[in-house]
Amino acid sequence: MSENLPVNPSKLLVVLTSLPNMEAGKGLARSLVKENLAACVQITEGVHSIYRWEGKVCEECEVLLCAKTTKAKWLEISTFIKNAHPYDLPEILAFSPEQYEEQYGKWVESEVNSK
């Protein structure tokens, strides 16, 4: 096993969600970091979403949030996003990177556990 692949229960998670605009995205991102649910949240503007909702094909311009956290925070961060989100059915997806730089992983873990 690679030295840069930590073996611990605090495996990193990358949590994605989309929001209607930059103001909503920044508000949620700040809250996630302030509440120690994410060490870092990146916001990407100009995401064009095409989806079916209530039988209609919709097109929206959104922002995409990418939050770095740990597996141990999944239930807490997903519940927080769901409760704070302006959409009726928010996209909340989590991915566990197979590999990540060990010091970065330790930083994320220390940030989300700093309360």
Side-chain angles (χ1 to χ4, degrees), residues 37-109:
L37 295 173
C40 170
V41 181
Q42 295 170 313
I43 304 170
T44 303
E45 271 188 291
V47 175
H48 295 275
S49 298
I50 300 172
Y51 57 94
R52 186 180 313 278
W53 182 251
E54 297 178 343
K56 296 179 189 171
V57 175
C58 303
E59 292 190 32
E60 301 291 337
C61 191
E62 297 178 298
V63 298
L64 183 67
L65 268 63
C66 179
K68 282 49 160 232
T69 190
T70 61
K71 202 174 211 179
K73 293 285 185 173
W74 166 244
L75 288 177
E76 199 175 345
I77 195 171
S78 61
T79 299
F80 187 92
I81 292 170
K82 187 175 179 181
N83 290 335
H85 210 286
Y87 293 167
D88 293 337
L89 180 62
E91 166 192 31
I92 307 171
L93 305 173
F95 301 94
S96 292
E98 277 190 37
Q99 296 182 0
Y100 47 89
E101 201 283 318
E102 187 174 3
Q103 286 182 305
Y104 182 79
K106 287 179 180 179
W107 173 75
V108 171
E109 185 178 356

Side-chain angles (χ1 to χ4, degrees), residues 6-12 70-73 109:
V7 179
N8 61 52
S10 296
K11 187 169 183 172
L12 290 188
T70 61
K71 202 174 211 179
K73 293 285 185 173
E109 185 178 356

